[in-house]
Structure formats: C-alpha cells, structure tokens
Amino acid sequence: MTRTKVAVVRCHSYDDDEVFKAVRRGLDLLGGVSGFARPGERIVLKPNVLIGSNPEKCVTTHPAVFRAVGGILREAGASVHYGDSPTFGKCEANVRKAGLKQVGDELGFSIADFDSGRSVSHKDGLLVKSFVVANGVLDADGLVNLPKFKTHPLVRFTGAVKNQFGCVPGLLKSQYHVKLPNPYDFATMLVDLNTIARPRLCVMDGIMAMEGNGPRSGRPKKMGVLLFSSDPVAIDATACRMIDLDPEVVPTSRPGEKAGLGTYHSESIDIVGEDIESFLDRGFEVIRTPPRPCSRSRLRDFVKNRICERPAIDKVKCTNCGTCVRMCPVDPKAVDWHTGNKDEQPTHKYDRCIRCYCCQETCPEGAISVESPLIGRILFRA
Ligand code: SF4
Ligand code: SF4
C-alpha cells in the first residue's frame, strides 16, 4: 500500500504572523513549497466559501490562512488566483463577504472563473464519467485546496474531499443531489471529481473548526490545528481521528482509496509535526454513525420516513424567508408552503425528500437541523 504524509501543526490563533509561521512549518514538513509551485506557474487557491459570511462564524476558510498560503506561493514565484462556486450567488460577492477579496486585492491575487465551466470527460471515474468543471480550475497549472474543518449531515465530515465540490459551477451542483440521492453514490461522485480536479496540496483550516449543525449553522470550536497534505483522503481521515470519528463512517474514504486518490488507513499515513493525540477531542459534536441510504428504490417510503434521519424546521428560529424552498432540488419540492399559504412557515414532505440537506445547509437562520425518528434511533443506536 502506498504511504502518504500528513503534517500537523499547532496554531493557537488567526494572528497573521502566527499563521504564517505555522503554514511555513507545515510546508517545510512536507519538503518545502517548491514541491507544490514553480516560478511562473498559475496556481489556484480553492478556499471553502460555502456562503460568504463573517470569518468568525467559521463557515469559510479564514482569511489569515488564505493570506499565508497564497503569500508563500507568491514568494515561490507562482501567479496566485483563487475562487469557489458557493451555494448561491457569484464567486466575487461571496469571497468579499468572507473577507478573502480584501486579502486578495492587497496581495495581488486575482479571482479565477468559478461561475462557468467546461465539460471534461472522465472515463476512469468510478461512477461519473464526465463533469462540468469551473474554467478557473481547468485553466490552472495547479490547484491548492484550502478546506475548513467542519461537520456535515450528508457526509458527516467536510474537509478536503468535499470542498472540491465547489469546482462544479453554480446550480449544476444541486443536480448531482437529485441524480445521486444515495449518500454513497454522492460520495463516489465527489471522489471522481477529486481525481479529475486533483489538488496538489491541501491545507485544512482547523484553528477554529465547526461542530454540531454544520456546515453553515454549527458552533465554532477551537481545535488549534492546521493540517497539510497532498492526499485529500488522508488529511480528512487524520482530522476525523482528532475528533474521534471513525474515517470509515465518512462515505468518501473507501471510494477515495479505491480510486487511488489517497488512503485513510492510519498504518499508511505518516504523521509529521505534532502528535494527533494532543488534539483529541472526544466531545466534538458530530454524527458518528454512517449515513443511511434513503432513496425510494431502497426502502418503501413508509419505512423510510420512520427510520431515516431527516431535516426538521425549528419553528421558533424560522423567519419564513423561503431560502430552503428555493434551494430544494427535487420536483415537486419536498420543503414548501404545502398549504399554499406563504404567510405560514414551510414544512417538509418526507416521502419526497432525498435527504440531500441543501435546505439545512442554506438556511440563514440555522433553523433546520437533522433529527432521527424514534424507531431509527432505536434501530441504529451507535
Ligand atoms: S430557510 Fe430557514 S428561516 Fe428560511 S424559511 Fe426555510 S427554515 Fe425558515
Ligand atoms: S427537503 Fe431538504 S433535504 Fe429534502 S430534498 Fe429538499 S433540500 Fe434536500
């Protein structure tokens, strides 16, 4: 089995100097920045800009990490560009809200085109044989993935592998949820995307992570760590071990290894830098059970709605903004004003729901969380 390396570096705060030193150390532990960028190369940074928001909310990759990685690549002679395709809206507006554009303008990084893309064949994909990939990614010499350390209801943990979903431009992303409602198929698609848009380097921002109702509405949680690797599967598995989450629970791990993207087995990963045990947080709030397929072809709706996790609206927090209704990708909508009265809050029809959690991910009030029906809790107790 191929060996892989993950560098783990402690970093207590987002102070620019501290982050810069930590990033420099992490890259040195992997052999130095020259292994990831050569003079004159066009390098695209791919931060997590799910939805542009204040960095203190921990939804997006922090500007200090973006500054340090981009600055070191620029010192190495690379031409630095950046971008992401957020859940809604254009890249530029979202990177501004996330505080990244201000850093990019200061350091002379330009925004790459993540709003449109081109079709690319991927005949070796495990499941998906072609993708539309953002022009900014296809036009780059190299991609550097800057994921945020967060929870996610569909894949349990969102790190390096899931972050690459933002290489698919705009609303095309939601079509993958409709076509691949089984979470294991969806995860395999993510792996296929990573093997066609493979990052040279991943630097994960876990200084302040997000636990609970991630990836948008969870709580910031200090982990005080930056992780570095050219292997997106191994970096995710290492982060999972820090929060006592079995990497096999994350559905991208096995196909990631099968596709040759990387490895999640601890015996194949050389950890350099700090000992991961020193970061162990067993109380980190994350769903620790594997996702359960809930597609109609697998279970009758009656059974599905009594055992499968599902999105649930907190009526106290809901402001009836309608974002969840707009973002629900199925037709007819599973979350909607089913009574026809838009003055009332939307409700879910679970027999239509494919459990993609786009509604939970995009609710601006954090009013949607994942609930397990009682029978499901009894049957699938972790
Ligand atoms: S997105 Fe959230 S706040 Fe808006 S209507 Fe849906 S549940 Fe309510
Ligand atoms: S209701 Fe939510 S989880 Fe269900 S299909 Fe719609 S967006 Fe996905």
mmCIF file of all heavy atoms in Angstrom, residues 313 317-325 346 359 362-365 367-368, ligand 1:
data_model
loop_
_atom_site.group_PDB
_atom_site.id
_atom_site.type_symbol
_atom_site.label_atom_id
_atom_site.label_comp_id
_atom_site.label_asym_id
_atom_site.label_seq_id
_atom_site.Cartn_x
_atom_site.Cartn_y
_atom_site.Cartn_z
ATOM 1 N N ILE A 313 -37.520 21.550 10.817
ATOM 2 C CA ILE A 313 -37.514 23.017 10.980
ATOM 3 C C ILE A 313 -37.872 23.392 12.410
ATOM 4 O O ILE A 313 -38.858 22.901 12.967
ATOM 5 C CB ILE A 313 -38.505 23.668 9.992
ATOM 6 C CG1 ILE A 313 -38.041 23.421 8.548
ATOM 7 C CG2 ILE A 313 -38.648 25.171 10.268
ATOM 8 C CD1 ILE A 313 -38.988 23.934 7.475
ATOM 9 N N LYS A 317 -37.061 29.498 15.346
ATOM 10 C CA LYS A 317 -35.981 30.196 14.624
ATOM 11 C C LYS A 317 -36.380 30.608 13.207
ATOM 12 O O LYS A 317 -35.816 31.533 12.641
ATOM 13 C CB LYS A 317 -34.749 29.278 14.534
ATOM 14 C CG LYS A 317 -34.034 29.056 15.857
ATOM 15 C CD LYS A 317 -32.787 28.215 15.594
ATOM 16 C CE LYS A 317 -32.048 27.899 16.885
ATOM 17 N NZ LYS A 317 -30.992 26.905 16.644
ATOM 18 N N CYS A 318 -37.322 29.896 12.598
ATOM 19 C CA CYS A 318 -37.660 30.123 11.188
ATOM 20 C C CYS A 318 -38.293 31.497 10.986
ATOM 21 O O CYS A 318 -39.232 31.867 11.692
ATOM 22 C CB CYS A 318 -38.612 29.027 10.703
ATOM 23 S SG CYS A 318 -39.199 29.282 9.021
ATOM 24 N N THR A 319 -37.765 32.237 10.018
ATOM 25 C CA THR A 319 -38.308 33.569 9.709
ATOM 26 C C THR A 319 -39.152 33.562 8.433
ATOM 27 O O THR A 319 -39.507 34.614 7.919
ATOM 28 C CB THR A 319 -37.164 34.575 9.533
ATOM 29 O OG1 THR A 319 -36.305 34.087 8.482
ATOM 30 C CG2 THR A 319 -36.365 34.753 10.812
ATOM 31 N N ASN A 320 -39.397 32.367 7.909
ATOM 32 C CA ASN A 320 -40.212 32.216 6.703
ATOM 33 C C ASN A 320 -39.597 32.934 5.500
ATOM 34 O O ASN A 320 -40.309 33.509 4.674
ATOM 35 C CB ASN A 320 -41.646 32.729 6.964
ATOM 36 C CG ASN A 320 -42.615 32.217 5.922
ATOM 37 O OD1 ASN A 320 -42.309 31.274 5.192
ATOM 38 N ND2 ASN A 320 -43.779 32.854 5.815
ATOM 39 N N CYS A 321 -38.253 32.874 5.395
ATOM 40 C CA CYS A 321 -37.574 33.591 4.301
ATOM 41 C C CYS A 321 -37.709 32.874 2.961
ATOM 42 O O CYS A 321 -37.517 33.476 1.910
ATOM 43 C CB CYS A 321 -36.103 33.783 4.639
ATOM 44 S SG CYS A 321 -35.161 32.228 4.635
ATOM 45 N N GLY A 322 -37.948 31.559 2.992
ATOM 46 C CA GLY A 322 -38.151 30.820 1.744
ATOM 47 C C GLY A 322 -36.881 30.297 1.087
ATOM 48 O O GLY A 322 -36.940 29.663 0.031
ATOM 49 N N THR A 323 -35.726 30.532 1.702
ATOM 50 C CA THR A 323 -34.472 30.048 1.091
ATOM 51 C C THR A 323 -34.491 28.532 0.914
ATOM 52 O O THR A 323 -34.095 28.002 -0.129
ATOM 53 C CB THR A 323 -33.260 30.448 1.971
ATOM 54 O OG1 THR A 323 -33.263 31.855 2.118
ATOM 55 C CG2 THR A 323 -31.949 29.991 1.366
ATOM 56 N N CYS A 324 -34.969 27.821 1.925
ATOM 57 C CA CYS A 324 -34.990 26.353 1.844
ATOM 58 C C CYS A 324 -35.843 25.887 0.665
ATOM 59 O O CYS A 324 -35.486 24.938 -0.030
ATOM 60 C CB CYS A 324 -35.484 25.757 3.159
ATOM 61 S SG CYS A 324 -37.073 26.387 3.709
ATOM 62 N N VAL A 325 -36.946 26.564 0.439
ATOM 63 C CA VAL A 325 -37.845 26.181 -0.661
ATOM 64 C C VAL A 325 -37.131 26.399 -2.003
ATOM 65 O O VAL A 325 -37.151 25.536 -2.885
ATOM 66 C CB VAL A 325 -39.157 26.994 -0.601
ATOM 67 C CG1 VAL A 325 -40.065 26.638 -1.775
ATOM 68 C CG2 VAL A 325 -39.870 26.762 0.730
ATOM 69 N N PRO A 346 -42.698 27.175 5.902
ATOM 70 C CA PRO A 346 -42.664 25.965 5.073
ATOM 71 C C PRO A 346 -42.646 24.704 5.952
ATOM 72 O O PRO A 346 -42.256 24.759 7.120
ATOM 73 C CB PRO A 346 -41.340 26.087 4.311
ATOM 74 C CG PRO A 346 -40.864 27.472 4.509
ATOM 75 C CD PRO A 346 -41.490 27.989 5.753
ATOM 76 N N CYS A 359 -31.409 22.195 2.081
ATOM 77 C CA CYS A 359 -32.209 23.142 2.871
ATOM 78 C C CYS A 359 -31.500 23.468 4.182
ATOM 79 O O CYS A 359 -31.389 24.644 4.575
ATOM 80 C CB CYS A 359 -33.613 22.583 3.120
ATOM 81 S SG CYS A 359 -33.640 20.940 3.876
ATOM 82 N N THR A 362 -28.363 25.700 3.693
ATOM 83 C CA THR A 362 -28.506 27.088 3.239
ATOM 84 C C THR A 362 -29.405 27.937 4.126
ATOM 85 O O THR A 362 -29.462 29.156 3.939
ATOM 86 C CB THR A 362 -29.072 27.121 1.795
ATOM 87 O OG1 THR A 362 -30.274 26.347 1.755
ATOM 88 C CG2 THR A 362 -28.079 26.569 0.804
ATOM 89 N N CYS A 363 -30.108 27.355 5.067
ATOM 90 C CA CYS A 363 -30.998 28.160 5.922
ATOM 91 C C CYS A 363 -30.186 29.247 6.636
ATOM 92 O O CYS A 363 -29.275 28.937 7.405
ATOM 93 C CB CYS A 363 -31.691 27.267 6.946
ATOM 94 S SG CYS A 363 -32.604 28.237 8.176
ATOM 95 N N PRO A 364 -30.510 30.508 6.413
ATOM 96 C CA PRO A 364 -29.686 31.579 7.003
ATOM 97 C C PRO A 364 -29.887 31.739 8.504
ATOM 98 O O PRO A 364 -29.106 32.416 9.162
ATOM 99 C CB PRO A 364 -30.157 32.832 6.252
ATOM 100 C CG PRO A 364 -31.523 32.519 5.785
ATOM 101 C CD PRO A 364 -31.571 31.042 5.549
ATOM 102 N N GLU A 365 -30.931 31.120 9.043
ATOM 103 C CA GLU A 365 -31.219 31.277 10.467
ATOM 104 C C GLU A 365 -30.760 30.072 11.292
ATOM 105 O O GLU A 365 -30.977 30.047 12.503
ATOM 106 C CB GLU A 365 -32.739 31.467 10.681
ATOM 107 C CG GLU A 365 -33.353 32.581 9.868
ATOM 108 C CD GLU A 365 -32.759 33.937 10.192
ATOM 109 O OE1 GLU A 365 -32.313 34.130 11.337
ATOM 110 O OE2 GLU A 365 -32.715 34.798 9.296
ATOM 111 N N ALA A 367 -32.197 27.322 11.241
ATOM 112 C CA ALA A 367 -33.465 26.798 11.767
ATOM 113 C C ALA A 367 -33.700 25.343 11.393
ATOM 114 O O ALA A 367 -34.667 24.740 11.856
ATOM 115 C CB ALA A 367 -34.621 27.660 11.255
ATOM 116 N N ILE A 368 -32.839 24.792 10.519
ATOM 117 C CA ILE A 368 -33.040 23.397 10.103
ATOM 118 C C ILE A 368 -31.891 22.558 10.651
ATOM 119 O O ILE A 368 -30.723 22.895 10.478
ATOM 120 C CB ILE A 368 -33.118 23.269 8.571
ATOM 121 C CG1 ILE A 368 -34.223 24.186 8.018
ATOM 122 C CG2 ILE A 368 -33.363 21.820 8.165
ATOM 123 C CD1 ILE A 368 -34.418 24.100 6.518
HETATM 124 S S1 SF4 B 1 -34.596 28.776 5.099
HETATM 125 FE FE1 SF4 B 1 -34.786 28.560 7.296
HETATM 126 S S2 SF4 B 1 -35.636 30.502 8.006
HETATM 127 FE FE2 SF4 B 1 -35.945 30.423 5.794
HETATM 128 S S3 SF4 B 1 -37.996 29.536 5.568
HETATM 129 FE FE3 SF4 B 1 -36.586 27.827 5.489
HETATM 130 S S4 SF4 B 1 -36.440 27.083 7.602
HETATM 131 FE FE4 SF4 B 1 -37.360 29.116 7.669
#
